[in-house]
Amino acid sequence: MINRRTLLKRLSALPLVGTIVGSGIPVQSVLANSPSIPARDLIKELGLRTFINAAGTYTAMTASLMPEEVMETIQASSKEFIMLDEVQDRVGEKIAAICHAEAATVTAGCWSAMVLGLAGVLTGKDKDKIAQLPNLKGMKSEVIVQKSHNVAYVHSLTNTGVTLVPVETVEELENAINEKTAMLWFLNYQAPYGKIQHEEWVALGKKHNIPTMIDMAADVPPVENLWKFNDMGFDLVCISGGKAMKGPQSAGILMGRKDIIEAARLSAPPRGNTIGRGMKVNKEEILGMYVALELYVKKDHEKEWKSWEQKISLIEQMAKKVDGVTTSVSVPPIANHTPFLKIAWDPAVINLNRTQMQEKLRMDNPSIEVISNGDHEISCTVWMLRPNEEKIVAKRIQEELIAAKV
Ligand SMILES: *Cc1c(COP(=O)(O)O)cnc(C)c1O
């Protein structure tokens, strides 16, 4: 972290430098304990833009900020060695208990939960098969999905070598099932667009003795979703840890049937000759994920929802004061289930397009990120704001709307 030259320069600035060096006390320990060494500000040093996140838990925007308790867990555990499998074992038991699952494991995000979960289904505990993936010789090789669920995230599945078989109706699904069918995959946020709903999907899996998996990456709140799909009978449930749960951005959870989770872990680090070796989660993230989940489950969700509504309302009221502005508030029923405020304006009254608005908010200090939609509107959410940032967002949006009045 600190290079040798900087180290020496800083050391020579310490009044007791001679004595300390002469005494043989390691330089590092002096530096680490010295209050006179200012903390390094890498954001400044690298000229990185930070911003107020009024957009949401977008991966590109680094999704969410970890609470203090999560960071303390990461800090404290970073000072000790622990066997990676032992951390996973203990944390897995705890997470499984919280989420009503037989077993659970922390993965490198929801995406790797899906790769590993499917790998577990395909290989079982067969060491040769595990080493062989993504070559599926001698294994099942098809995953059935609904056409409307067949979106970008299925790449996590095809990573294992499987072929997707898209279907629309129950009849098509039952006709598509054959000796090569490994799994039935369900994408929670696309549920309203599919002909087959959760319970029926699970029932079809049980009827044909084929494991079912659900991707519910961004689908808390509501908090109950953490156990709902385990209770419903999905064999595997995958979720992101770094979105609304505010765990490490690179963490997620795979939970469900014990035998499959055990098999999935055989494809995960520390084991090397595996498809999942690049999906490492360190002990700090594993423990951080656990603490984030606990905090998330315990928090007062009603109170938090009210505070979101208040913040949205403040931004809305300020924007609405400007002539030519219309606003509306909506809540997506599944995924990113939090109030969204849409602010639209009449371009005949306010001469601004959405890109100009976004840039003005982005280039100012503090920089603000919002969501862009139609030509003359933006949207924002407030769940990723730090205390009082809603006031800045409200003020800045209003200022730019007023400034662009014709
Ligand atoms: C975010 C997301 C993923 C990927 O999750 P990571 O935790 O970033 O790996 C997968 N599926 C859906 C639906 C998502 O929203």
Side-chain angles (χ1 to χ4, degrees):
M1 295 257 264
I2 297 178
N3 70 33
R4 204 183 139 75
R5 242 173 61 215
T6 320
L7 187 81
L8 291 173
K9 223 159 80 191
R10 287 188 181 171
L11 244 190
S12 66
L14 294 172
L16 295 172
V17 67
T19 329
I20 291 162
V21 170
S23 74
I25 295 170
V27 164
Q28 244 90 0
S29 71
V30 176
L31 281 176
N33 296 325
S34 169
S36 66
I37 305 296
R40 197 173 165 189
D41 186 347
L42 273 163
I43 292 171
K44 209 166 153 190
E45 190 178 318
L46 302 182
L48 294 168
R49 177 175 66 97
T50 60
F51 53 86
I52 292 176
N53 181 359
T57 60
Y58 291 91
T59 296
M61 296 186 192
T62 59
S64 61
L65 300 179
M66 291 179 276
E68 208 55 52
E69 292 90 330
V70 173
M71 284 312 300
E72 278 164 13
T73 304
I74 289 174
Q75 291 276 7
S77 57
S78 74
K79 296 183 173 62
E80 300 287 351
F81 287 99
I82 316 172
M83 296 307 278
L84 192 56
D85 272 333
E86 285 178 25
V87 195
Q88 282 285 23
D89 287 345
R90 293 298 293 134
V91 167
E93 284 166 19
K94 294 284 187 189
I95 293 179
I98 292 172
C99 299
H100 309 183
E102 263 178 43
T105 190
V106 177
T107 58
C110 179
W111 204 91
S112 89
M114 294 194 275
V115 181
L116 294 173
L118 178 53
V121 167
L122 293 166
T123 62
K125 294 179 186 169
D126 184 319
K127 287 205 167 57
D128 293 332
K129 289 180 177 171
I130 290 164
Q132 191 188 304
L133 281 187
N135 177 340
L136 292 172
K137 196 156 167 256
M139 290 176 243
K140 297 187 177 190
S141 58
E142 294 179 359
V143 170
I144 298 179
V145 302
Q146 294 186 72
K147 273 188 186 146
S148 52
H149 295 212
N150 193 4
V151 300
Y153 297 110
V154 296
H155 203 132
S156 59
L157 308 173
T158 54
N159 238 29
T160 63
V162 300
T163 307
L164 296 176
V165 182
V167 299
E168 273 184 290
T169 62
V170 171
E171 198 190 345
E172 276 175 36
L173 185 145
E174 294 205 292
N175 285 335
I177 289 176
N178 64 64
E179 72 283 352
K180 289 184 284 186
T181 309
M183 195 175 79
L184 309 182
W185 186 74
F186 196 95
L187 177 55
N188 189 47
Y189 85 81
Q190 285 294 90
Y193 308 101
K195 292 202 167 77
I196 311 171
Q197 291 306 305
H198 305 78
E199 283 89 350
E200 199 169 17
W201 197 257
V202 169
L204 285 161
K206 296 211 186 302
K207 178 177 167 193
H208 295 279
N209 199 22
I210 300 169
T212 49
M213 175 191 277
I214 186 166
D215 171 359
M216 50 157 296
D219 306 347
V220 291
V223 62
E224 297 80 31
N225 277 0
L226 283 170
W227 42 87
K228 180 177 170 181
F229 303 111
N230 289 314
D231 290 344
M232 200 182 273
F234 275 96
D235 296 293
L236 294 169
V237 176
C238 308
I239 184 166
S240 292
K243 293 176 177 169
M245 278 200 282
K246 300 186 179 178
Q249 192 193 2
S250 44
I253 297 170
L254 171 68
M255 47 192 172
R257 243 171 68 187
K258 194 161 191 253
D259 60 325
I260 307 180
I261 305 278
E262 282 172 1
R265 279 188 56 193
L266 297 179
S267 273
R271 284 150 289 274
N273 189 12
T274 61
I275 199 170
R277 181 57 181 85
M279 300 172 191
K280 184 160 57 185
V281 201
N282 62 33
K283 66 178 181 303
E284 293 83 356
E285 291 169 312
I286 296 169
L287 291 165
M289 181 68 253
Y290 168 46
V291 170
L293 173 75
E294 256 189 351
L295 281 173
Y296 183 70
V297 169
K298 281 185 195 153
K299 86 158 77 166
D300 185 338
H301 294 273
E302 247 174 73
K303 188 171 149 205
E304 183 177 57
W305 193 277
K306 285 209 182 90
S307 93
W308 290 343
E309 285 180 334
Q310 281 163 4
K311 291 175 186 184
I312 285 278
S313 169
L314 175 84
I315 303 170
E316 181 178 31
Q317 295 315 317
M318 294 270 286
K320 263 198 332 204
K321 280 195 187 132
V322 186
D323 278 346
V325 171
T326 51
T327 60
S328 63
V329 180
S330 61
V331 178
I334 315 173
N336 301 304
H337 181 70
T338 186
F340 275 64
L341 168 66
K342 185 165 94 178
I343 301 171
W345 56 91
D346 179 353
V349 183
I350 296 164
N351 182 20
L352 200 65
N353 65 35
R354 67 132 193 261
T355 318
Q356 290 166 330
M357 177 58 131
Q358 260 190 313
E359 280 298 297
K360 283 176 191 293
L361 296 173
R362 182 175 290 148
M363 300 319 282
D364 205 53
N365 186 16
S367 176
I368 299 171
E369 287 290 343
V370 294
I371 306 163
S372 84
N373 313 93
D375 286 345
H376 301 101
E377 63 182 60
I378 54 165
S379 291
C380 52
T381 67
V382 294
W383 61 338
M384 292 300 126
L385 296 182
R386 287 161 291 189
N388 294 316
E389 284 182 337
E390 70 281 5
K391 292 173 193 155
I392 303 171
V393 174
K395 179 169 160 284
R396 286 290 301 121
I397 292 175
Q398 191 195 52
E399 275 172 6
E400 293 303 336
L401 289 168
I402 292 172
K405 278 177 88 166
V406 290

